[in-house]
Structure formats: structure tokens, C-alpha cells
Amino acid sequence: MSTTTTNRQLNELLVDLHRSLIQYVLEAWLWSAPEAQELKGVVLSLAERQRQDAGKIATLLMNRHVVIDFGTYPNDFTRFNYVAVEFLYENLC
């Protein structure tokens, strides 16, 4: 596999992590009822791990002097603006 192909695939993975639904809902004010704080904590933990992994990939690509495309969120994610964590869980799991 060529370096160019590997870098392209790494950038695609970066977009998948950086522009995932979980990242979107955190930017769109994910909220929760007091009884759902544990579930929200799990979501926040997963989102943080994704951010860290995306950062590692971005750093690798920058060190390789690759022009990075961070992508955009899909338009259909807008239906998840200002949702409760319980709603998100029920509709995605």
C-alpha cells in the first residue's frame, strides 16, 4: 500500500472520528435528566476518547506534511440538536 493511500485512509478515519454523531450532539447541547447522569458520563467519556484518537491521527498526518481535511457533519445530524441523552440512546441503540 502506498504512503498516499495510507494517508488518505488515515484522513478518512480522522473525519469519521472528528465528525461522528457523538461529537455532533456534544456541540449541539446534549442534556440529561438527573437520573441519566451516569449515561451522560459514558457518552462524554466516549466522546473524549474519540477526540483524543482524532488528535493523534491529525498529529501523525501533520508530521507527514499532509494537508488535512477535517470534513463536515452530515446534514441529517441536525435532527439531533438539543436532544436528551436518553433520546439519543433510545434512537441509536
Side-chain angles (χ1 to χ4, degrees), residues 64-83:
R64 293 180 175 187
H65 306 288
V66 174
V67 176
I68 299 172
D69 174 11
F70 286 96
T72 59
Y73 290 114
N75 287 335
D76 64 327
F77 282 5
T78 58
R79 66 189 174 109
F80 292 101
N81 286 349
Y82 308 105
V83 298

Side-chain angles (χ1 to χ4, degrees), residues 14-73:
L14 171 64
V15 172
D16 288 346
L17 289 172
H18 186 64
R19 298 300 183 197
S20 70
L21 180 58
I22 196 166
Q23 298 299 319
Y24 181 85
V25 296
L26 291 177
E27 291 184 24
W29 299 95
L30 181 66
W31 61 275
S32 64
E35 59 273 8
Q37 287 299 313
E38 184 177 342
L39 179 58
K40 186 175 182 181
V42 171
V43 171
L44 293 174
S45 176
L46 177 59
E48 180 57 30
R49 283 183 275 154
Q50 279 188 342
R51 270 193 290 263
Q52 290 173 2
D53 291 343
K56 290 174 185 175
I57 294 169
T59 299
L60 174 63
L61 291 172
M62 285 187 287
N63 289 340
R64 293 180 175 187
H65 306 288
V66 174
V67 176
I68 299 172
D69 174 11
F70 286 96
T72 59
Y73 290 114

